[in-house]
């Protein structure tokens, strides 16, 4: 059965093959070799990251080299003076793919093969013929750029093949005019070129298909490259794009001055509590806020001489790359400060109930300090931004100031082994029902040698960085105990609260140290309250649990700070015995929203069922104080009642008449 089927198919196929010219298989092999070589060249170029517009010379060289090799291979093929080659396609495609440089290379290699291996009878006519094919390919390249073939269309293939037909006709005419070749040889030449045309069409189609596929891959990679370097929310280039921009600047002209300006909201937490995270993510969308217009217009206008390029530095901060200006020049001109103030005014008008505070870091981009591999100055930017709540921080001067400040803070920590040297201020907590002072929170209030206030978070950051946070917290606990000893005669029954973190509660014997301290100062345990911060780290540590249990047994009251900002504090409230719960400020200032109101109601109910007093932090208006009182909150703390006061002023404050909320 199989033999019969083979014989049945063999007869028509044999007849069809007999109808084809005898050189067809050789020509097909040449076309396949050319297409395969072009595919290999494109693959190698892509692997080495060579852009499409830089591959032309490689393609022209590949086509010319293939023409030379094939010319050598067919030099001894048969006895006819006409060799079966795709020489016209090699010359034509060499110029079309490689431009004039690639065309000249392919022309030189092909004509060298024709001369070297004796396949050329008339040098002048052959050179003229080859020049016409190269010229036609180059002209077609000007009309249809092969580097831009994203979509292969039938008319494009026909145009390229039509150019091939024109090249063939012109070459044959020039060869006939310039040579004295016998008519029989010319007829064989024309027949051979006519025979090649169908195979040439297939070669051209496959070549264009390769180019179109390669261009599509390039376009897709370009889209992916753009997506990786663009923020999906704001649409601005992201930090990866900024890093590449800075490195490109360093490579092109490292001597040219450049600096980086990074802007963010100094009171971002207020914005988040009032308007939510979704809107905060769109702060820099399209170069400015949609609500209220492009608020960065003032900054961009002030810096337009330096061609500012905006980038999304982080979720809530923007970076401007300035070229041609250094930090010192920008600081001398003083253009940023008034521009930021105008931005703050515009932003405050655009977002009712919110007073914007924009802070800005300016950092020099100097490749000399970034060797061997230049990167963005992340540390400098972070230090500059964290150094102030609003305004402009120029890092050059700030760096020296910051180092001096760090040294000053460390020297003060060394002095705090004596509790009398710890700068403790007291912020009152008042009973909302009658306005009486029920206690105070002890807060660090350090001033630098010039009398300027040092942020408590700055002190904590330095202490944490040098591994001395527990030491600083113990100094505040000891200072509070000694203050209670001195306040016993003036304000009997008033308690003081001190913040402690997991760093202190992990210390072995912390509870025993507190007990010994209270005994030394002759202070009742009920008057020293410990407020737990960073409670997410307190749940699963057995040392923390042991210290908390022992403190409770000693009668030292425990308080949960910032309640309502996570789930783990609920677990703390149910697992340990807390006598006080402090509602986080973000919930208090957003009581106008139904969700915050419901959360506060549940916190009050849960805390009271657990036997704890409820304190509202961040009370800044009578309306808020009245609202939280009506919700069942027991005590309030905030600027409505008083800021943090030195101990002597706190005593005087407690003796003065105070605000009583209306019923």
């Amino acid at each position: 059965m199989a033999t019969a089927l083979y014989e049945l198919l063999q007869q028509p196929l044999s007849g069809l093959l007999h109808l084809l010219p005898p050189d067809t298989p050789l020509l097909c092999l040449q076309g396949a070799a050319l297409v395969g070589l072009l595919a290999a060249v494109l693959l190698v170029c892509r692997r080495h990251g060579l852009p499409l517009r830089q591959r032309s010379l490689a393609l022209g060289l590949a086509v010319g080299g293939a023409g030379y090799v094939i010319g050598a291979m067919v030099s001894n093929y048969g006895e006819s003076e006409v060799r079966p080659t795709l020489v016209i396609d090699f010359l034509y495609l060499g110029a079309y793919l490689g431009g004039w440089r690639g065309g000249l290379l392919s022309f030189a290699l092909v004509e060298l093969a024709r001369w070297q291996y004796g396949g050329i009878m008339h040098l002048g006519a052959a050179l003229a013929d080859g020049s016409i094919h190269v010229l036609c390919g180059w002209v077609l390249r000007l009309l249809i750029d092969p580097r831009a073939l994203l979509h292969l269309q039938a008319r494009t293939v026909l145009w390229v093949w039509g150019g091939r037909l024109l090249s063939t006709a012109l070459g044959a005419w020039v060869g006939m005019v310039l040579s004295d070749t016998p008519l029989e040889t010319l007829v064989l030449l024309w027949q051979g070129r006519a025979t090649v045309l169908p195979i040439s069409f297939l070669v051209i189609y496959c070549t264009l298909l390769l180019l179109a596929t390669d261009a599509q891959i390039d376009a897709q990679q370009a889209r992916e490259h753009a997506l990786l370097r663009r923020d999906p929310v704001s649409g601005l280039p992201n930090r990866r794009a900024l890093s590449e921009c800075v490195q490109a600047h360093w490579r092109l002209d490292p001597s040219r001055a450049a600096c980086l300006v990074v802007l963010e909201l100094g009171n971002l937490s207020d914005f988040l509590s009032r308007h939510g995270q979704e809107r905060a993510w769109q702060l820099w969308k399209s170069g400015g806020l949609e609500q209220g217009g492009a608020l960065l217009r003032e900054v961009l206008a002030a810096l337009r001489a330096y061609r500012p390029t905006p980038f999304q530095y982080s979720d809530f901060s923007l970076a401007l790359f300035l070229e041609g200006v250094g930090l010192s020049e920008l600081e001398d001109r003083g253009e940023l400060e008034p521009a930021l103030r105008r931005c703050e005014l515009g932003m405050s008008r655009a977002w009712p109930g919110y007073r914007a505070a924009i802070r800005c870091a300016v950092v020099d981009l100097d490749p000399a300090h970034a060797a061997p591999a230049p990167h963005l100055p992340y540390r400098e930017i972070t230090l500059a931004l964290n150094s102030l709540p609003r305004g402009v921080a120029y890092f050059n001067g700030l760096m020296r100031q910051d180092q001096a400040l760090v040294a000053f803070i460390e020297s003060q920590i060394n002095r705090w082994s004596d509790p009398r040297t710890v700068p403790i201020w007291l912020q009152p907590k008042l009973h909302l029902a009658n306005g009486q002072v029920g206690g105070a929170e002890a807060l660090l209030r350090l001033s630098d040698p010039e009398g300027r206030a040092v942020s408590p978070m700055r002190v904590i950051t330095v202490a944490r960085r040098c591994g001395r946070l527990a030491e600083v917290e113990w100094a505040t606990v000891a200072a509070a105990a000694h203050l209670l000893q001195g306040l016993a005669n003036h304000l009997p029954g008033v308690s003081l609260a001190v913040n402690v973190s997991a760093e202190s509660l992990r210390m072995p014997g912390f509870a025993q140290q507190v007990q010994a301290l209270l005994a030394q100062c002759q202070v009742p345990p009920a008057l020293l309250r410990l407020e737990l911060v960073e409670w997410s780290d307190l749940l699963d540590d057995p040392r923390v649990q042991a210290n908390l249990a022992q403190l409770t047994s000693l009668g030292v009251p425990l308080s949960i700070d910032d309640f309502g900002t996570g789930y783990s504090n609920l677990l703390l409230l149910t697992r340990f015995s807390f006598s006080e719960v402090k509602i986080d400020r973000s919930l208090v200032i957003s009581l106008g929203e139904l969700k915050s109101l419901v959360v506060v109601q549940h916190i009050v109910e849960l805390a009271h069922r657990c036997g704890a007093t409820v304190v509202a932090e961040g009370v800044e208006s009578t309306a808020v104080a009245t609202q939280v009182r009506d919700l069942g909150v027991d005590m309030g703390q905030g600027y409505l009642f008083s800021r943090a006061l030195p101990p002597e002023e706190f005593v005087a404050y407690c003796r003065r008449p105070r605000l009583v909320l209306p019923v």
Side-chain angles (χ1 to χ4, degrees), residues 148-277:
L149 292 178
L150 284 174
H151 305 286
L152 185 59
Q153 300 177 350
R155 63 180 181 181
T156 304
V157 179
L158 293 176
W159 267 102
V160 177
W161 193 56
R164 166 70 165 80
L165 294 178
L166 177 62
S167 173
T168 302
L170 290 176
W173 177 75
V174 169
M176 184 178 63
V177 171
L178 297 182
S179 68
D180 54 356
T181 306
L183 180 61
E184 295 80 4
T185 303
L186 289 176
V187 171
L188 290 175
L189 178 64
W190 294 337
Q191 289 177 349
R193 292 191 174 186
T195 303
V196 166
L197 288 178
I199 301 175
S200 174
F201 179 82
L202 291 176
V203 170
I204 288 174
Y205 174 76
C206 292
T207 300
L208 295 179
L209 186 62
L210 281 175
L211 293 175
T213 303
D214 201 57
Q216 290 172 4
I217 295 174
D218 275 344
Q220 179 63 26
Q221 289 181 345
R223 287 192 292 268
E224 293 174 357
H225 183 278
L227 287 175
L228 289 174
R229 286 150 182 81
R230 189 164 294 275
D231 186 85
V233 177
S234 67
L236 294 173
N238 59 17
R239 194 153 67 182
R240 177 180 293 186
L242 172 61
S243 179
E244 293 176 354
C245 174
V246 171
Q247 293 187 29
H249 167 77
W250 279 332
R251 286 194 304 268
L252 293 175
D253 189 2
S255 62
R256 182 172 172 81
C259 64
L260 198 63
V261 178
V262 180
L263 303 97
E264 68 176 19
L265 295 180
N267 54 350
L268 178 63
S269 59
D270 291 349
F271 186 90
L272 293 174
S273 63
R274 293 177 185 273
H275 299 288
Q277 197 168 25

Side-chain angles (χ1 to χ4, degrees), residues 619-627 640 659-662:
V619 178
E620 299 179 0
S621 67
T622 304
V624 171
T626 304
Q627 187 176 14
L640 172 66
L659 172 69
V660 178
L661 299 177

Side-chain angles (χ1 to χ4, degrees), residues 6 14 38 74 112 203 231 273 295 377 379 390 418 425 450 457 465 478 499 507 639 663:
Y6 173 76
S14 299
L38 292 176
V74 301
L112 176 63
V203 170
D231 186 85
S273 63
L295 297 179
R379 177 180 174 275
R390 63 180 297 184
D418 181 356
W425 287 26
E450 298 180 5
M457 288 306 301
R465 190 166 58 194
N499 291 334
M507 300 293 293
Y639 285 169
V663 180

Side-chain angles (χ1 to χ4, degrees), residues 550-613:
Q550 190 168 358
L551 287 169
T552 301
S553 65
L554 292 174
V556 176
L558 303 178
S559 172
I560 302 181
D561 199 13
D562 298 332
F563 195 88
T565 57
Y567 70 92
S568 54
N569 49 16
L570 294 175
L571 299 179
L572 277 173
L573 184 60
T574 57
R575 186 175 298 181
F576 301 105
S577 178
F578 286 90
S579 62
E580 182 181 84
V581 170
K582 301 187 74 173
I583 301 176
D584 186 66
R585 179 176 182 272
S586 62
L587 286 174
V588 174
I589 64 178
S590 61
L591 281 176
E593 301 177 9
L594 180 60
K595 289 183 179 180
S596 299
L597 184 64
V598 172
V599 170
V600 171
Q601 289 175 336
H602 282 82
I603 290 174
V604 172
E605 181 180 359
L606 177 63
H608 284 167
R609 286 188 177 184
C610 293
T613 301

Side-chain angles (χ1 to χ4, degrees), residues 271-353:
F271 186 90
L272 293 174
S273 63
R274 293 177 185 273
H275 299 288
Q277 197 168 25
E278 291 294 332
R279 291 188 176 183
W281 279 337
Q282 300 182 4
L283 278 174
W284 314 118
K285 188 172 183 179
S286 301
L289 290 170
E290 290 182 343
Q291 183 174 354
L295 297 179
L296 287 179
R297 189 179 302 129
E298 296 290 344
V299 175
L300 295 176
L303 303 175
R304 62 180 178 272
Y306 314 115
R307 295 181 296 172
T309 305
F311 295 87
Q312 191 81 33
Y313 185 75
S314 68
D315 287 344
F316 307 117
S317 59
L318 184 83
L320 299 176
F321 174 70
L322 306 184
E323 195 172 3
V325 62
L327 180 146
S328 57
E329 180 182 354
L330 201 61
E331 186 175 8
D332 292 340
R333 294 189 176 186
E335 298 168 324
L336 272 176
E337 289 81 353
L340 287 185
R341 286 194 290 270
R342 290 191 292 269
C343 283
E344 289 176 344
L345 290 175
M347 192 172 183
S348 300
R349 287 193 298 267
W351 299 89

